[in-house]
Amino acid sequence: MLDGKSLALKLRGNIKEEVEAIKAIGNRVPHLAAILVGEDGASKTYVNSKERDCEYVGFESSVHRLSADTSEESLLNLIEAINKDENIDGLIVQLPVPKHINATKVTEAIDPEIDVDGFHTISVGKLTKNEDTFISATPFGVIMMLEEYGIETRGKHCVIIGRSNIVGRPMSILMSQGGRDATVTVCHRYTENVGNFTRTADIVIVAVGIPDFLKVEMVKPGAVIVDVGITRVDSDNAKRYVLKGDVDFEKVKEKCSAITPVPGGVGPMTRYGLLFNTLKSYKKKQGL
Ligand code: NAD
């Protein structure tokens, strides 16, 4: 089991210790700012958990909760004001934003120096060229997990299902880059017979958002399976939903050599990724 929850707890502990050392010498602590526009339930949950994570490690955090009818102009003005604030190390705008706001304009308005989500074109360009940058939190979390668990990637066939800008695409770039050296195949909604590709994969990274998409017959014995998917499925429990990954976990876990659960796999590592990037930005600003 690739236990992202325990691993993220350990790694967050390291950040917490660093922050305690920063405080001990009287310096200001790292500060993450978040903007949430509207009332989307999942987005609210994500922002709340990011706020709690900051509190846990000792970062300062500020959350700007804006109403759904906020104009694009006032959102851009707020981003501009935060960009200019020397004491803020990271800024994220929780996506999706309401339809009347252009999401690309928003991500491009964030100063790349504090773009801890790594969505800005400059951040993505640097990632592509293997230059130092903020790697977006989910791909970063997956890479960290593979590294920490000592999963060999060199020369392995890695199949990535999904090609989104926030998961599949950066994941494919990172896995093929020097240092990881995997041979990468990217599958997407127009790929015919995804199973033909996954059955030859040593590592499968699934990010499609379709519960149980990856079936046991699509998996090579002994493969490593990373399940990025999170879908809320209606349930009669207290929360009224359960979280489902993209992998038919119960069956696939018997056939593979390693697998991430949902929840408790990639999710906590993603949250760690954001803290890591905020600390990285802080250190750069402080000349550390
Ligand atoms: P997206 O909707 O932007 O992209 C989905 C991708 O899946 C697309 O590239 C599409 O081509 C591909 N796809 C759709 N149907 C397919 C099919 N039948 N066969 C092959 N490919 C298909 O989604 P996203 O933002 O990349 O997120 C994917 C999933 O990961 C979602 O469930 C999301 O909630 C989850 N997610 C989890 C985390 C985390 O921290 N664990 C972070 C980001 C996203």
Side-chain angles (χ1 to χ4, degrees):
M1 189 73 75
L2 302 173
D3 181 353
K5 193 173 172 189
S6 304
L7 179 57
L9 197 65
K10 182 188 99 174
L11 296 170
R12 267 191 299 160
N14 296 343
I15 293 189
K16 193 176 158 92
E17 276 178 21
E18 276 199 58
V19 176
E20 273 157 16
I22 288 167
K23 272 191 199 155
I25 53 168
N27 279 355
R28 77 165 179 89
V29 295
H31 184 162
L32 174 67
I35 304 177
L36 172 65
V37 191
E39 299 294 326
D40 179 73
S43 295
K44 277 181 172 175
T45 309
Y46 291 142
V47 169
N48 290 344
S49 57
K50 287 165 189 174
E51 213 177 0
R52 279 200 308 277
D53 289 345
C54 284
E55 199 184 331
Y56 178 85
V57 298
F59 287 2
E60 194 175 329
S61 70
S62 45
V63 180
H64 301 261
R65 292 183 171 83
L66 310 181
S67 65
D69 61 359
T70 300
S71 70
E72 185 180 278
E73 191 188 1
S74 53
L75 175 59
L76 294 175
N77 287 341
L78 175 60
I79 292 171
E80 193 49 41
I82 295 174
N83 283 342
K84 287 188 183 136
D85 188 332
E86 268 307 301
N87 291 325
I88 292 180
D89 306 290
L91 169 60
I92 57 164
V93 178
Q94 186 65 45
L95 299 176
V97 284
K99 289 208 163 42
H100 66 278
I101 296 174
N102 181 330
T104 305
K105 262 194 192 171
V106 169
T107 48
E108 297 304 304
I110 297 173
D111 181 349
E113 291 295 316
I114 58 168
D115 174 38
V116 288
D117 257 342
F119 296 160
H120 195 287
T121 301
I122 288 180
S123 307
V124 177
K126 286 186 173 175
L127 171 100
T128 307
K129 292 178 75 184
N130 208 0
E131 290 174 14
D132 186 43
T133 186
F134 298 113
I135 301 173
S136 55
T138 303
F140 175 85
V142 172
I143 293 296
M144 279 301 287
M145 181 147 62
L146 295 175
E147 265 178 38
E148 289 277 329
Y149 274 97
I151 304 240
E152 181 62 78
T153 55
R154 175 163 294 166
K156 302 293 178 193
H157 182 205
C158 175
V159 170
I160 294 162
I161 317 175
R163 58 178 176 184
S164 70
N165 286 336
I166 66 165
V167 190
R169 181 74 58 209
M171 207 63 258
S172 67
I173 295 164
L174 289 164
M175 289 301 286
S176 65
Q177 259 167 0
R180 283 168 290 276
D181 303 304
T183 304
V184 173
T185 300
V186 179
C187 296
H188 48 76
R189 66 177 75 250
Y190 298 109
T191 303
E192 288 179 17
N193 204 338
V194 173
N196 281 348
F197 299 93
T198 54
R199 272 187 289 276
T200 68
D202 305 299
I203 302 169
V204 183
I205 302 174
V206 205
V208 292
I210 304 173
D212 295 341
F213 178 86
L214 191 76
K215 307 262 186 270
V216 67
E217 61 272 17
M218 295 164 76
V219 172
K220 178 168 115 171
V224 172
I225 310 293
V226 177
D227 188 351
V228 181
I230 304 177
T231 305
R232 287 183 177 203
V233 176
D234 290 344
S235 160
D236 47 15
N237 65 9
K239 276 189 175 169
R240 314 305 296 168
Y241 67 84
V242 286
L243 296 180
K244 293 281 290 174
D246 289 346
V247 178
D248 185 357
F249 181 84
E250 287 306 321
K251 292 193 180 130
V252 172
K253 79 176 200 294
E254 303 300 332
K255 195 174 182 184
C256 63
S257 62
I259 186 166
T260 61
V262 177
V266 174
M269 291 302 294
T270 295
R271 285 165 60 178
Y272 165 71
L274 187 62
L275 295 174
F276 177 93
N277 279 347
T278 306
L279 183 61
K280 178 183 168 115
S281 168
Y282 170 87
K283 284 180 175 169
K284 191 172 171 205
K285 278 192 169 202
Q286 302 290 312
L288 299 172

